[in-house]
Amino acid sequence: RTRTRAPHAMATSHHRSRLATLVLLVTLATAAASSRPDTRASSGATLEAPGADAPFVPGVSEEDASCPDAGAESRSGCDDPIADGTPFDLWELARSWTPGFCASGGKRTCAKKECAPDAMVPALTLHGLWPSFSAPVEGASGGSEVATAPSTPRRASRASGVFWRQVSARGADSAVASSSCFWPQNCGMPAWMRAESEPSPWRYDASLLPAGEENRRLAPAWFADALGAHEWPKHGTCASWADSAGKVKGLDQEAYYRTTFDLARREGTPDALVDAAGSAVSLSDVQAMFGGARFVALGCTSACELVQVVTCYKQGSGSLGDPVGPRERAECPCTGVRDSHYDNSCAEKHKCAEVKILTPEQAGCGGGPRKEKCAGKERCCPGVLGPACVLDADCVGESGCARCAHSGHCTAEPREE
């Protein structure tokens, strides 16, 4: 589908009006010198001095003007809207800046295992891969006669911090109230899967998650805090749909996990973001790390601390050479993603001229700054980063160390079975 974006048209018209203004000024100057009236002065154009646009806001790039309501709206999905309705055509990859997420909810988020002082990693870690619509679907009903009610925000099972409370406090806007659907969720089993002689498990099955320590570091919340048990039913089930009839094979549970983890691994964490930990960076500079304001949505706390990064991808057509799944990077639509308070709160009314990139020590989990070393000859103890490691075997023989943690350092905490 072709999306018509009024904000983009506004931005284009803005540049044209500035050019027209310059031409008019030159014409007026020439007309004054020759005492001839300017025949275009009555055309309704507003004359202004070059550069007399809206007041400059530090950290706001020209691209932000393409979405004037950035971060200002509350958006919701709807249950099972694809069946006999509209197939999704966009993917959103959501990743957390872990120290920011851990800091966002105080004791509640610090209690999560991914936020333990000896496990927290200064990197982007997997939140989820979400099927989405590039344009909202009006009156989505999931095949029923009555439109489904707007749902809670995307990450309800993990919502516990200042950032998340702001989302739920805003309430639904007029578009949501009129049953617009911005993403599908909680989808039913498609026909192609029901027709299989040995269908893939439909209920969440943690044994299908990609194995290995690298994947545990990539998605600590999925393994340590069971985030996958929320992500598969709410978002992953809709990834199994590739057409409205459910006949074209989409992603089963195992393929969804493999696709999600592979994409997060390929994207990685920009070196510039890692290097900025412990400092504040202009909003436009953080956006530039991910291709610019049109290609990313950034979630912040009310203190402008980075919590989440969302990037967008086109959906494959399912044809030969273009398989179903996230393909090339795409512009994140203004309506539904960049105007979403949940997804893009850093840019809300451009309030965050600078974005704070927290370090694990600044997250406030574990009673303050980490201790430099353990007592005696121990190399691992609570609150201390142990020796660097890649595998559990690297920690064998290190006093007090039980295993290699997601942080890439040995830890005294045993692995849960």
Side-chain angles (χ1 to χ4, degrees), residues 63 93 159 184 210 231 247-248 252 266 297 305 327 350 353 366 369 380:
E63 288 186 302
L93 176 66
E231 292 296 309
K247 295 181 179 180
V248 176
D252 62 22
R266 287 198 306 271
E305 297 162 343
R327 307 301 291 167
H350 310 304
C380 291

Side-chain angles (χ1 to χ4, degrees), residues 93 95 124 262-270 290 311-313 329:
L93 176 66
R95 293 178 294 159
L124 292 175
D262 285 349
L263 180 59
R265 184 180 299 105
R266 287 198 306 271
E267 290 292 351
T269 303
F290 301 93
T311 46
C312 302
Y313 308 82
R329 279 282 299 275

Side-chain angles (χ1 to χ4, degrees), residues 148 157 169 179 194-195 220 224 226 296 316 321 342 351 361 364 384 391 406:
T148 51
S157 71
S179 75
R194 292 197 302 269
V296 68
Y342 177 89
K351 69 175 184 178
E361 290 81 2
V384 174
L391 304 172
H406 305 307

Side-chain angles (χ1 to χ4, degrees), residues 6 15 46-47 95 100 104 115 119 126 128 142 154 163 178 185 188 205 209 223 246 298 319 344 380 409-411 417:
H15 292 304
T46 301
L47 300 181
R95 293 178 294 159
S104 69
C115 298
L126 179 62
R154 299 181 195 271
F163 170 54
S178 65
Q185 61 184 28
D205 186 347
L209 292 175
F223 292 93
L298 302 171
S319 61
N344 206 23
C380 291
H409 293 266
C410 298
T411 178
E417 297 298 333

Side-chain angles (χ1 to χ4, degrees), residues 56-71:
F56 173 72
V57 181
V60 177
S61 65
E62 285 189 20
E63 288 186 302
D64 290 282
S66 69
C67 193
D69 293 329

Side-chain angles (χ1 to χ4, degrees), residues 101-120:
F101 167 71
C102 295
S104 69
K107 292 181 179 179
R108 294 186 66 184
T109 44
C110 282
K112 295 184 177 294
K113 294 177 182 177
E114 68 177 303
C115 298
D118 58 350
M120 196 188 316

